Amino acid sequence: MKNIFQYGHDFLTSGIALKIAKGEVKGILTDSTKDKVQNCREIVEDIAHSDKVVYGINTGFGILANKHISPEDGKTLQYKILQSHSSGLGKPIAEDIAKLMLVTKVHALAKGFSGCQLQTLERLIWHIENDVIPVIPEKGSVGASGDLAPLSHMSLPLIGLGEVFFQGNIVPTEEVLKQFDLNPIPLSYKEGLSLINGTQFMLAHAIKAVERLQNALDTADIIGAMSIEALMGSQSPFQPHFHELRPYKGNKLVAQRIRKILENSEIGNSHVDCDRVQDPYSMRCIPQVHGATRNAWLHLKETVEIELNAVTDNPIIFSETDTISGGHFHGQPIALPMDYACFAAAELGNISDRRTYLLIEGKWDLPVLLMDNIGLNSGFMIPQYATAALVTENKTLCFPSSADSIPTSLGQEDHVSMGSISGRKLNTVISNLEQILAIELLNAAQALDFRRPLKSSAIVEEMHALVRSKVDFATEDRVFATDIAKVHELIHSNEFINHFNQKTIELGLNVNETFEEFSI
């Protein structure tokens, strides 16, 4: 039996949202939540038929807020707003991100301050549970006044329009509704506005980034430790008393992880009394650099959790006499942390590239380019070109989107967050980061083989064996793109970190001890 999450009632985290989207947790509406939704719905109906003027219920939208709409036209208005605002551009966003949009929208509406109909909420949940996922273009939101264009496309299937992902294909919504013998939802007052006001496009991208960047961070620590071993690096920069003098949470966690990963290593013990005074920054500053990115990740995770449990509609309905048209839809609170996480992720790739360069440089008894017969062979020269290219591409993506604003709605919406672009860029940088880490891992595995017969720690040997189960040691040149793709899939699919986590349990190695806040 699946675990249950109560929309509108329970505290939603990134981890739970992801599990609902993956079908591992079932989201439901409790009777008390249904009552809240229906009570707010009745308030909206009363306002619509009264003389009280409330934005979006009996007025136009945006710059047209001063245009009065009669009760007779109020319902038609909800269809028109979904149609007119469905002006998105570009490729469809990933199906799992679109599904996260549905999950987060249901939770926000189920709080009972938006005035939507219960049947509308139940239809959104039906889409989630039956994997009938709206096709949503990637571009067109400025990240304020809600993610208007993408949320409009998300909502089109409710009225029988648009397209959906269904059983591996993109098909017209109308066809799927017929297959399930369902009719479009008859929208009522304010519902169109409630559906498209909110930050769910930005938020869904942020949730995905929280998951992906956590995987990249955990993976980077392991790969960094493998590179330290291959380069005969010192373990002294990871000692706990050293990091108590500058006790950032992320730094302390990374130092602890590296220290435990390298515990009882033959390679490490073999050069304890060597004459090397200190290692390059990309080795001994791993806690400071990886740790700073972890601190940025933690800030993003905490922001996302607030946003996940917020009401980002406009206007917000407290009672018939208390309706507030404010700015909870504005994406700035989440856009800034996503931009911060973007260049934090880029820096993780930057330092990884530097370690890759050290591995091929020919120092500390490693062969130049990690191959014996260089000249006839180019060895691991060009994979490092690829990391250099990706690091530079990430740098160009680090300009903060939230630093810009272009007025919209004829000046009514005169400051916007551009947070939708922040979210898309962040995930692009993480995609490049995964490739950069894959190349460092490929190089580190190759370099470790030159340290034989010495062995590393038990966990490093396990991770090296996993890489070797996919890619053989290279004695001469071959198509390295194939090797990189195999190692990248290890990282991207979470197989690498899942294997690590399983083996640490078997070995009794708690690398994340006392740092529970860094989990989702």
Side-chain angles (χ1 to χ4, degrees):
M1 182 177 178
K2 291 181 182 177
N3 291 327
I4 298 296
F5 176 81
Q6 301 173 101
Y7 286 119
H9 179 271
D10 293 341
F11 187 80
L12 185 58
T13 65
S14 295
I16 295 171
L18 288 159
K19 287 179 179 178
I20 295 172
K22 293 171 183 175
E24 297 170 4
V25 169
K26 181 179 176 64
I28 65 167
L29 297 172
T30 63
D31 289 341
S32 61
T33 296
K34 291 177 182 179
D35 288 343
K36 284 195 301 181
V37 169
Q38 289 174 323
N39 289 340
C40 191
R41 180 69 229 157
E42 290 170 7
I43 293 171
V44 169
E45 292 284 347
D46 290 342
I47 292 172
H49 293 92
S50 72
D51 294 331
K52 182 177 176 64
V53 178
V54 176
Y55 173 71
I57 296 179
N58 46 27
T59 74
F61 307 115
I63 194 62
L64 304 175
N66 294 323
K67 297 287 186 181
H68 182 265
I69 304 296
S70 68
E72 293 76 27
D73 291 331
K75 293 181 180 181
T76 303
L77 180 65
Q78 308 311 309
Y79 291 86
K80 287 185 174 294
I81 191 174
L82 294 189
Q83 292 172 317
S84 66
H85 286 49
S86 294
S87 302
L89 306 164
K91 299 175 182 177
I93 63 173
E95 189 173 349
D96 59 345
I97 296 179
K99 196 171 184 181
L100 285 169
M101 287 179 65
L102 290 171
V103 171
T104 55
K105 174 55 76 174
V106 169
H107 189 55
L109 294 178
K111 295 284 184 179
F113 295 97
S114 297
C116 67
Q117 298 177 99
L118 183 58
Q119 65 175 328
T120 303
L121 261 182
E122 290 172 338
R123 178 60 62 85
L124 288 171
I125 294 171
W126 176 87
H127 278 275
I128 294 167
E129 292 183 345
N130 290 277
D131 279 319
V132 181
I133 308 304
V135 173
I136 303 169
E138 62 182 345
K139 300 177 183 179
S141 172
V142 295
S145 195
D147 285 311
L148 296 175
L151 283 170
S152 296
H153 284 277
M154 184 202 77
S155 303
L156 282 179
L158 294 173
I159 58 174
L161 301 179
E163 295 179 316
V164 293
F165 294 102
F166 183 60
Q167 296 181 345
N169 298 304
I170 293 178
V171 296
T173 299
E174 186 179 14
E175 291 182 12
V176 179
L177 293 182
K178 285 181 179 178
Q179 183 174 331
F180 284 89
D181 197 25
L182 293 173
N183 293 317
I185 295 292
L187 295 181
S188 190
Y189 308 110
K190 191 184 177 291
E191 283 200 285
L193 187 63
S194 295
L195 287 163
I196 71 172
N197 261 318
T199 59
Q200 284 76 35
F201 180 86
M202 288 175 274
L203 184 54
H205 281 80
I207 294 166
K208 195 64 184 174
V210 165
E211 178 189 40
R212 297 180 67 203
L213 186 52
Q214 182 190 44
N215 175 56
L217 278 159
D218 288 350
T219 298
D221 291 345
I222 303 163
I223 298 171
M226 293 173 72
S227 293
I228 288 170
E229 283 288 84
L231 292 163
M232 295 285 210
S234 172
Q235 295 184 25
S236 63
F238 312 107
Q239 298 309 307
H241 62 284
F242 177 71
H243 286 278
E244 287 301 329
L245 299 180
R246 200 185 187 202
Y248 292 107
K249 289 181 180 179
N251 301 32
K252 290 171 68 176
L253 171 59
V254 173
Q256 174 180 283
R257 286 171 59 83
I258 299 292
R259 192 170 63 252
K260 290 193 173 185
I261 288 170
L262 297 182
E263 204 168 61
N264 300 319
S265 163
E266 284 184 12
I267 295 174
N269 292 334
S270 73
H271 60 90
V272 170
D273 298 320
C274 70
D275 58 0
R276 252 164 70 187
V277 177
Q278 58 184 18
D279 295 325
Y281 286 2
S282 60
M283 297 164 66
R284 62 183 160 112
C285 295
I286 286 177
Q288 290 77 15
V289 178
H290 289 204
T293 298
R294 280 192 180 270
N295 293 331
W297 176 90
L298 183 60
H299 181 50
L300 178 63
K301 187 201 85 161
E302 291 172 344
T303 301
V304 165
E305 287 184 350
I306 294 173
E307 195 75 3
L308 274 167
N309 295 283
V311 178
T312 53
D313 193 5
N314 180 57
I316 290 174
I317 312 299
F318 293 97
S319 69
E320 190 170 346
T321 57
D322 188 6
T323 62
I324 298 178
S325 187
H328 279 347
F329 51 70
H330 201 293
Q332 201 76 0
I334 193 168
L336 289 172
M338 284 196 292
D339 281 333
Y340 175 23
C342 183
F343 53 79
E347 279 304 293
L348 204 62
N350 201 334
I351 195 171
S352 172
D353 166 73
R354 291 299 80 209
R355 291 192 296 266
T356 296
Y357 186 86
L358 287 175
L359 288 164
I360 64 173
E361 200 174 13
K363 288 185 175 181
W364 304 307
D365 298 322
L366 288 176
V368 173
L369 301 175
L370 294 177
M371 206 169 279
D372 286 327
N373 190 13
I374 291 301
L376 176 62
N377 293 294
S378 296
F380 285 76
M381 180 195 303
I382 303 304
Q384 191 271 324
Y385 283 38
T387 65
L390 291 172
V391 165
T392 298
E393 182 177 326
N394 278 352
K395 289 176 183 177
T396 68
L397 292 168
C398 279
F399 179 84
S401 301
S402 57
D404 188 27
S405 175
I406 298 176
T408 56
S409 194
L410 303 183
Q412 175 75 3
E413 297 157 7
D414 56 357
H415 183 279
V416 298
S417 76
M418 300 299 179
S420 62
I421 303 169
S422 302
R424 287 171 40 233
K425 284 200 306 99
L426 171 56
N427 279 279
T428 300
V429 167
I430 294 171
S431 292
N432 288 340
L433 170 59
E434 289 174 353
Q435 298 278 8
I436 294 166
L437 291 173
I439 292 172
E440 183 190 354
L441 178 55
L442 188 65
N443 280 257
Q446 179 80 2
L448 279 170
D449 283 324
F450 284 103
R451 297 304 182 191
R452 299 308 184 205
L454 290 176
K455 290 186 177 182
S456 183
S457 64
I459 190 64
V460 168
E461 290 297 326
E462 288 284 355
M463 303 316 293
H464 180 268
L466 176 63
V467 175
R468 283 288 166 258
S469 72
K470 308 291 183 179
V471 176
D472 293 333
F473 176 80
T475 57
E476 59 182 359
D477 286 349
R478 59 195 188 210
V479 180
F480 283 120
T482 304
D483 294 354
I484 294 168
K486 290 177 181 178
V487 177
H488 171 257
E489 181 57 24
L490 266 181
I491 294 171
H492 179 72
S493 67
N494 287 4
E495 183 180 350
F496 187 79
I497 196 63
N498 289 341
H499 184 81
F500 174 82
N501 290 337
Q502 180 60 42
K503 292 302 177 181
T504 55
I505 291 171
E506 293 174 9
L507 293 167
L509 199 63
N510 189 354
V511 296
N512 288 350
E513 188 178 7
T514 74
F515 290 94
E516 292 182 3
E517 63 266 50
F518 285 95
S519 65
I520 59 172

